[in-house]
Amino acid sequence: MIQKEHRSKKLNLTHEAEMLTREVISAPFRLRTYRLLRKILVGFILVSIANVLFAYFFYTPKMYRINRENHDLIIRYRILQDRIRTAQQRLNSIRHRDNFVYRSLFSTDTLSVPEVWQSYPDTKYAVMEGDKFEPLMIDTWKQLDALARQIYLASVSLDELQEMARNKEQLSAAVPAIWPIDRAALHNNYIGAFNLRRLHPVLGYVRPHLGIDFGCDRGTPVYATGNATVEVASERGYNGGYGRMVLLDHEFGYKTRYAHLSKVLVKPGEQVTRGQIIALTGNTGVSSGPHLHYEVIHKGRPVNPINYFNRNMTPEEYDALMEKMRETKFEPL
């Protein structure tokens, strides 16, 4: 019994000795592991700080690549802007020939599409806001959009000229190109001017004067200024102040109006030719005296009729007439 107790105590002492030995061995290992991890962590922090400082003061290979790509992008945008300017110059040359050469040959007005000159809303470019190159990108896209709109205008204009070329003979006869009354019948060359903003001489407020007025005696013959179809032939009525009136449709986008007449000599639907007498002047409607109110309407927009007369006048006569027109306010419409 005593021997068994002695043997048990001996085994316990041996086990405790082994446990102490293991603890003595494992403690330095954990300490070394902790110190190693601490060194690794401190080293990582130091390396990160060094990398940040280096990146702040020096370019890394990645930053060199990014900066080079950004620089190339700016160059490409500048090249694109140069090409846009070159295309714009060529387009301006085409528009100049269109307005002052081609359309002069056909005696037609410049094509007007006001929407072409209206910029797109800024919301279209909102996707580029906040970008590092926002000013450069938005400015370039606005130039491209403006160029595209003007190219559309040039395309429509050339299509129209192509159609006119197919019908040149009919067009030349249809364009309103003569005086609507005999120039000798004018009272002292008295013509009221075309003016989109004119003080109404009767009503006393600003109202556009969409035609020109020829001061003459009542009963002066009125001529169709181009081949046309009679659209309106009003022999009576107020007609918005026009009084007795004739409206001719010349096709090709042209219409002409003859107002304040004393007598209408044509009927709606009738075909008339240039120089044909269609009415006699008078003083009907809102009018301050006998005269002819004459309008030229191109594609729904009133244009200055005097521009269609200057081909039959010397430059001196035309300048004198324009000066005279600026001084007169004959007709109250």
Side-chain angles (χ1 to χ4, degrees), residues 149-290:
R149 293 194 300 270
Q150 294 179 47
I151 290 174
Y152 166 77
L153 175 63
S155 175
V156 173
S157 181
L158 291 175
D159 288 343
E160 183 182 88
L161 288 172
Q162 185 178 14
E163 185 64 26
M164 290 178 180
R166 295 194 186 103
N167 304 281
K168 184 177 180 180
E169 184 176 348
Q170 294 90 329
L171 173 65
S172 62
V175 171
I178 66 171
W179 289 66
I181 66 171
D182 189 341
R183 290 179 61 185
L186 284 175
H187 288 171
N188 300 319
N189 211 26
Y190 197 86
I191 302 179
F194 176 89
N195 192 342
L196 295 178
R197 289 188 58 83
R198 185 194 66 164
L199 182 65
H200 196 292
V202 175
L203 301 178
Y205 57 81
V206 173
R207 184 176 177 180
H209 187 233
L210 303 180
I212 58 178
D213 301 318
F214 298 91
C216 58
D217 293 330
R218 178 186 175 89
T220 300
V222 177
Y223 307 110
T225 55
N227 294 356
T229 302
V230 178
E231 182 174 319
V232 177
S234 299
E235 299 183 15
R236 62 180 61 84
Y238 179 73
N239 291 322
Y242 286 116
R244 292 175 181 170
M245 173 193 72
V246 172
L247 180 67
L248 300 183
D249 184 358
H250 300 263
E251 298 185 344
F252 303 100
Y254 283 103
K255 293 184 180 183
T256 53
R257 190 192 310 274
Y258 312 77
H260 308 302
L261 307 171
S262 63
K263 188 174 184 180
V264 174
L265 303 176
V266 292
K267 301 294 182 181
E270 183 178 341
Q271 300 293 317
V272 297
T273 58
R274 178 180 290 156
Q276 178 179 336
I277 298 176
I278 59 174
L280 301 178
T281 59
N283 189 29
T284 57
V286 180
S287 172
S288 59

Side-chain angles (χ1 to χ4, degrees), residues 109 194 210-211 254 295-298 301-305 307-308:
D109 279 299
F194 176 89
L210 303 180
Y254 283 103
E295 295 180 13
V296 175
I297 304 165
H298 183 244
R301 299 177 183 274
V303 295
N304 194 345
N307 293 330
Y308 294 85

